[in-house]
Amino acid sequence: VSALVVLSGGMDSVTALHYAATVHGRVDALSVHYGQRHARELDAARWQAKDAGVTWHDVLDLRDLGALLTGSALTDDVDVPTGHYADESMRATVVPNRNAILANIAAGVAVARGLDAIVLGVHSGDHAIYPDCRPAFVTALEELLTVANYDAVRVEAPFLHTDKVGILRVGRALGVDYSRTWTCYVGRDPACGACGSCVERREAFDTIMVRDPLRYVGDGTAVPL
Ligand SMILES: [Zn+2]
């Protein structure tokens, strides 16, 4: 089986990449610059794609599209909220129709290359806030790709019913280097430590009692912003 991983450079998609590389004969990766504040994720994506030994890694520049997807703290001049993902304030981090857009682009590339599947790093911790990370989305997407193409493209979401802690456990078993992933929504180095994405990541490392290799503001390893 061959697959194309939608690779942001964050923990989830990076772990999905390495997981896919162990279970599939061929793995490609696709990253998209849609104007997210944390574009440095793309540097992490490049490093990880090489580390995972992908056949092709493409970084697609869709910043013009991202500029039309206004209203999100990730792409627009809106403050990044702090706290937990479950908080209502996190809706500010929803990018309009993001995963449907990214998955359909990936599916087109997969069809063009004759690949069997696309791989998404969505997980259960995203379900509360992001409709396009829920099981219903994955099911509907696969149905769409089946009717939209002569050769159906499968949708794999290996962490759909797994949380961040589970992802971390899988990734550590696979030897993923999490110092080469980028999670923070703000996108400055060191990571803010307070946005929903940072909070979730730090809690996951705390839960498995492993030190997060990333530098955070105020953790004594870096100067504040
Ligand atoms: Zn952050």
Side-chain angles (χ1 to χ4, degrees):
V1 176
S2 54
L4 176 67
V5 178
V6 178
L7 180 65
S8 71
M11 270 181 67
D12 313 327
S13 66
V14 162
T15 308
L17 170 75
H18 286 272
Y19 176 76
T22 63
V23 297
H24 294 317
R26 170 182 169 179
V27 170
D28 289 12
L30 177 70
S31 304
V32 175
H33 192 352
Y34 54 87
Q36 58 270 51
R37 288 164 177 254
H38 47 301
R40 56 167 301 151
E41 264 195 342
L42 297 172
D43 296 332
R46 287 188 188 92
W47 191 92
Q48 294 287 353
K50 199 171 285 183
D51 189 51
V54 305
T55 304
W56 289 106
H57 177 221
D58 292 281
V59 180
L60 191 58
D61 191 339
L62 288 183
R63 276 177 286 186
D64 287 346
L65 169 64
L68 301 179
L69 305 180
T70 52
S72 167
L74 302 197
T75 55
D76 207 350
D77 193 17
V78 175
D79 286 343
V80 175
T82 57
H84 281 93
Y85 266 126
D87 297 347
E88 183 67 17
S89 62
M90 285 299 151
R91 287 187 71 155
T93 64
V94 174
V95 176
N97 205 30
R98 182 182 70 170
N99 282 354
I101 293 170
L102 298 182
N104 275 290
I105 291 169
V109 175
V111 170
R113 293 191 189 155
L115 304 175
D116 303 305
I118 61 169
V119 180
L120 306 176
V122 297
H123 64 92
S124 62
D126 289 334
H127 294 174
I129 291 299
Y130 303 109
D132 58 359
C133 293
R134 294 173 186 159
F137 169 75
V138 174
T139 302
L141 175 66
E142 191 159 66
E143 283 174 12
L144 170 66
L145 298 182
T146 301
V147 297
N149 295 286
Y150 286 112
D151 297 314
V153 177
R154 289 207 337 264
V155 179
E156 296 183 0
F159 308 133
L160 189 58
H161 302 291
T162 307
D163 63 7
K164 206 85 166 178
V165 173
I167 289 174
L168 196 50
R169 288 202 169 107
V170 169
R172 285 177 51 82
L174 294 171
V176 174
D177 183 350
Y178 285 108
S179 74
R180 300 283 194 151
T181 60
W182 189 257
T183 301
C184 182
Y185 279 156
V186 179
R188 277 173 292 193
D189 191 7
C192 83
C195 71
S197 197
C198 280
V199 167
E200 190 189 37
R201 173 180 173 129
R202 298 178 93 176
E203 284 179 351
F205 274 95
D206 282 351
T207 301
I208 66 163
M209 293 188 283
V210 167
R211 195 184 156 277
D212 186 344
L214 218 56
R215 301 187 312 153
Y216 290 95
V217 172
D219 69 0
T221 63
V223 291
L225 292 174

